[in-house]
Amino acid sequence: MEFNPTIVAFLCNWCSYTGADLAGTSRMKYASNINIIRVMCSGRVEPAFVLKAFRKGADGVLICGCHPGDCHYHEGNYKCLRRFHLLQRYVQQMGLEKDRIWLAWISASEGKNFAELVDRFTENIR
């Protein structure tokens, strides 16, 4: 039996969540092991949220936001990027692989990209 990892995804309301919605309404196939949490901005994803996801049993955490320069809150995705690099180092110090956390930029029109990203991330975690 194939390992089916649990993935928690924090998606920005304005772009990434809408991109995921497009993938769903377009009936695109992608791994069903993803638990989506909608946040207003990727910059709002606190490191504590990611650590809690791991503590609660997530095998991987995916953070998605608007493309740089397109953030509805001007610089939220840059804040997210800074936190992401620090979080990867912290997770490594805790003994987890840094590849268990990914950051990606997905716009509202990139449903196909979202579906492919989820499949790639799932395979990476496996």
Side-chain angles (χ1 to χ4, degrees):
M1 183 167 181
E2 188 174 43
F3 170 62
N4 200 16
T6 300
I7 295 174
V8 173
F10 294 98
L11 306 182
C12 131
N13 178 65
W14 303 104
C15 287
S16 303
Y17 186 82
T18 309
D21 188 49
L22 177 63
T25 57
S26 301
R27 300 190 188 281
M28 295 178 188
K29 301 282 186 206
Y30 60 89
S32 62
N33 55 326
I34 187 167
N35 299 305
I36 294 175
I37 299 173
R38 180 168 38 173
V39 294
M40 291 309 289
C41 178
S42 59
R44 177 65 181 93
V45 178
E46 301 286 333
F49 298 169
V50 174
L51 298 175
K52 184 175 183 179
F54 282 123
R55 197 170 53 247
K56 295 278 187 175
D59 297 306
V61 174
L62 180 60
I63 303 169
C64 296
C66 303
H67 287 275
D70 288 338
C71 180
H72 283 69
Y73 300 100
H74 302 289
E75 297 178 358
N77 45 15
Y78 294 116
K79 181 179 181 180
C80 178
L81 181 60
R82 286 191 305 270
R83 284 181 172 173
F84 173 73
H85 290 300
L86 293 172
L87 195 54
Q88 273 191 318
R89 289 198 321 221
Y90 184 72
V91 166
Q92 274 187 302
Q93 290 174 354
M94 290 176 38
L96 299 173
E97 298 84 9
K98 72 176 185 176
D99 286 340
R100 290 180 60 183
I101 304 173
W102 277 15
L103 173 63
W105 312 121
I106 301 288
S107 74
S109 64
E110 295 178 328
K112 183 178 185 222
N113 292 3
F114 178 78
E116 291 170 354
L117 173 69
V118 170
D119 287 340
R120 274 196 328 268
F121 188 52
T122 300
E123 281 306 310
N124 182 66
I125 298 297
R126 278 193 186 121

